[in-house]
Amino acid sequence: MPVESRSPSRSRPLLTWTDAAGSHSVELDASRTAGSAEGCELVVQDKAVSRIHFEVDPQSDGLWVRDLGSRNGTFVNGVKVGDARVPSGSVIRVGTTDMTVAYQMSPGEAPSTEVPFLVDELTPASFGSLATQTASLRTVFETLGALAATDRSILLEGEPGSGKKALARAIHDASPRAERPFVVVECAALPKDPAGIASLLEDALSQAEGGTLVLDDPSDLPLAVQRELLPPFDAKAFRILVTTERDLRRLVNQGAFRESLYFQIANATVRVPPLRERPADLAFLLARFLGEEPPASLLEDLARLPWMGNVRELQHYAARLAADMAGAALAAHLDATDTDDRPRPEAMFASTLETPALTAPSGDLGRMLPIALEPWFLVGFKEFREQWIDLGEREYLRRLMQRTNRSSGTASREAGLERTYLYRLIKKHGV
């Protein structure tokens, strides 16, 4: 089955610009952070450019540019953008600097405004405990495998459940420090007072000496504590790996994360693609988790889901599905061999999509929640609450508008909401 991949033999974006330091021409084969800070991968000598201004990222459909919360914005062909694909011949303007985008063609290749990266990639690949059948994650494995042999700090970016901590462990195990300590600091779980944080971090730094220190979501650390990390990190008594769900570059621009610490921990940055960007992995990983090939009809249904909890959500789903399959098999066996009045297993494995009665005991409600919501209970309370409220509002509005045949007057009266507020909610949730 064809899957997307970055192919070195095909065309790559070429970025050219002139700034206070002179003329530059860079061929892009991976994502690059750009700005006026010396630590950026692409340095633009322009006083009107933010320290960490934007990102350029070559994808399967061409070059993408993302503004990172800059002061003056990022423009493509005169239009201010947050995230946009850049056709060949376009101009990216940052500050007072114009950067031209072109696509370098291989000999004999016809020009195109897009970058075709389509290859056949059927052979599974693995790195540590993770496995894949898609080229995008295979590239991540290859990159991290090469980085593992070095002492460079690595920033692993990705959504919840995408495998960042497992990759950190794999990097450690593949490194010369494999026999030394592997210490993970869950920054969100640290106490709130700076003194308590400092004490626990000091213990962790001591334990990690000679080995690997993993900071999980350091954006939760107070700025004062971030400053205290600089000297021990400079001492290089251990290797630093960072896992995060947030874009630390944006936090730097907002003053919520120290620039000096960011450049210290982001010596190399690797983005872990979410499951929805790796469709071949859905079937591949589910078969691994179940120990057998899932039905094609089931995969068609699963492919429509967003999988916001990524591989962790798929693991939870596979465990529940395996239990359901075992229950169904046992029920069929009992039907064929037994006629007594014992409870049938199917009653013990209720569908995860059933809506629990409002009168059900709270313990039962927890067991009846959809499996897709399981990863939500593994994040910080603030994030959980925002997701839960957002889901509830969206589902309430969907049912309300369906029930009232999309009559805003009827819907506003039934819900007890002002019509203008109802309109804002409908627009917010796209109902």
Side-chain angles (χ1 to χ4, degrees), residues 366-380:
R367 287 192 294 271
M368 298 170 71
L369 287 171
I371 192 65
L373 300 184
E374 288 293 334
W376 290 18
F377 295 91
L378 304 175
V379 301

Side-chain angles (χ1 to χ4, degrees), residues 179-218:
E179 302 302 320
R180 305 296 295 169
F182 178 78
V183 179
V184 179
V185 178
E186 303 273 359
C187 296
L190 293 173
K192 297 302 179 185
D193 65 292
I197 295 177
S199 176
L200 289 173
L201 282 176
E202 186 177 354
D203 290 343
L205 299 184
S206 177
Q207 294 170 20
E209 188 167 347
T212 301
L213 176 74
V214 179
L215 282 183
D216 180 52
D217 279 331

Side-chain angles (χ1 to χ4, degrees), residues 379-397:
V379 301
F381 178 73
K382 181 180 178 182
E383 182 181 352
F384 163 79
R385 181 176 60 186
E386 291 174 351
Q387 291 183 143
W388 189 265
I389 292 174
D390 188 68
L391 172 66
E393 285 185 354
R394 184 167 59 252
E395 185 62 16
Y396 178 89
L397 289 169

Side-chain angles (χ1 to χ4, degrees), residues 39-217:
C40 286
E41 294 160 300
L42 298 179
V43 179
V44 183
Q45 293 281 357
D46 183 336
K47 292 181 179 179
V49 170
S50 294
R51 301 281 295 170
I52 302 178
H53 196 110
F54 68 106
E55 176 190 40
V56 281
D57 185 13
Q59 294 287 335
S60 60
D61 56 350
L63 182 69
W64 284 78
V65 60
R66 300 181 183 91
D67 185 80
L68 299 173
S70 63
R71 294 190 313 273
N72 301 321
T74 300
F75 298 79
V76 174
N77 296 333
V79 178
K80 189 174 184 179
V81 299
D83 191 347
R85 186 171 68 86
V86 186
S88 182
S90 296
V91 174
I92 301 172
R93 186 174 182 83
V94 289
T96 61
T97 301
D98 288 338
M99 312 178 83
T100 302
V101 176
Y103 291 104
Q104 294 286 90
M105 302 298 163
S106 301
E109 185 178 10
S112 170
T113 58
E114 295 190 354
V115 187
F117 298 127
L118 203 60
V119 298
D120 287 328
E121 191 65 83
L122 293 177
T123 306
S126 63
F127 185 56
S129 63
L130 281 78
T132 187
Q133 201 170 10
T134 59
S136 59
L137 194 55
R138 174 189 286 272
T139 300
V140 169
F141 290 173
E142 293 171 351
T143 299
L144 294 180
L147 287 171
T150 73
D151 267 342
R152 295 174 65 184
S153 61
I154 304 174
L155 176 62
L156 297 168
E157 297 180 335
E159 295 181 3
S162 56
K164 300 183 296 297
K165 291 179 186 175
L167 286 172
R169 180 78 219 198
I171 293 168
H172 173 77
D173 290 344
S175 76
R177 300 175 183 263
E179 302 302 320
R180 305 296 295 169
F182 178 78
V183 179
V184 179
V185 178
E186 303 273 359
C187 296
L190 293 173
K192 297 302 179 185
D193 65 292
I197 295 177
S199 176
L200 289 173
L201 282 176
E202 186 177 354
D203 290 343
L205 299 184
S206 177
Q207 294 170 20
E209 188 167 347
T212 301
L213 176 74
V214 179
L215 282 183
D216 180 52
D217 279 331

Side-chain angles (χ1 to χ4, degrees), residues 30-33 38-42 52 143-144 146-157 171 233-234 236 238-243 248-249 257-271:
S31 173
R32 296 287 184 267
T33 299
E38 288 299 322
C40 286
E41 294 160 300
L42 298 179
I52 302 178
T143 299
L144 294 180
L147 287 171
T150 73
D151 267 342
R152 295 174 65 184
S153 61
I154 304 174
L155 176 62
L156 297 168
E157 297 180 335
I171 293 168
F233 282 13
D234 277 333
K236 295 181 171 58
F238 42 76
R239 186 187 198 160
I240 305 163
L241 302 178
V242 173
T243 60
L248 298 183
R249 299 166 301 182
F257 197 83
R258 288 193 173 275
E259 180 184 303
S260 53
L261 181 59
Y262 169 76
F263 285 120
Q264 197 166 42
I265 64 178
N267 192 257
T269 300
V270 176
R271 174 182 176 268

Side-chain angles (χ1 to χ4, degrees), residues 354-361 365 368:
E354 288 181 3
T355 303
L358 295 177
T359 56
L365 286 174
M368 298 170 71

